[in-house]
Amino acid sequence: MTPRTLHLQAAPNSTASASFTIRDDGSGDLHVNVGAPKHNPPFSIFSNGGAHTISSHSSLSVVIQYAPAAKGSTNDQISITSDDPKHKKETVKLEGKSKAPKH
């Protein structure tokens, strides 16, 4: 999985997005489940949350959206479980910062 940490920055009441990629470098299908962040909002899965099957030598891009309502910082994580015996559970850290735009 790359990257392992997503850094998102947005002004209050606006949005920012970033993505991470899950790759299947093995010889068979990889079954994964992309969990939801605990702090929803301001973090949410914009695309490709939930259960997926990734074909051999393919990848899945997961897009995260950050939509803060106020100034401040929020940290969270997303858990990804799979049937890969070497990587049964992985996490992607989410770091969100919100500050008022400079005029």
Side-chain angles (χ1 to χ4, degrees):
M1 240 173 323
T2 57
R4 296 273 182 180
T5 302
L6 297 179
H7 304 277
L8 298 113
Q9 187 169 331
N13 301 309
S14 65
T15 61
S17 62
S19 64
F20 64 90
T21 302
I22 304 169
R23 290 194 51 79
D24 179 3
D25 293 324
S27 59
D29 288 349
L30 176 66
H31 301 93
V32 300
N33 188 42
V34 179
K38 291 180 183 175
H39 300 287
N40 183 0
F43 295 109
S44 61
I45 296 179
F46 187 73
S47 66
N48 291 327
H52 296 275
T53 299
I54 304 172
S55 300
S56 176
H57 303 290
S58 295
S59 62
L60 175 74
S61 180
V62 179
V63 179
I64 305 301
Q65 188 170 33
Y66 177 58
K71 294 188 295 184
S73 297
T74 307
N75 294 323
D76 205 339
Q77 68 181 21
I78 292 182
S79 295
I80 297 98
T81 56
S82 77
D83 59 356
D84 181 336
K86 293 182 181 178
H87 303 281
K88 288 202 172 285
K89 185 174 182 182
E90 299 286 337
T91 58
V92 173
K93 294 180 183 177
L94 307 176
E95 297 179 356
K97 291 185 181 176
S98 178
K99 58 184 177 180
K102 295 180 181 180
H103 295 283

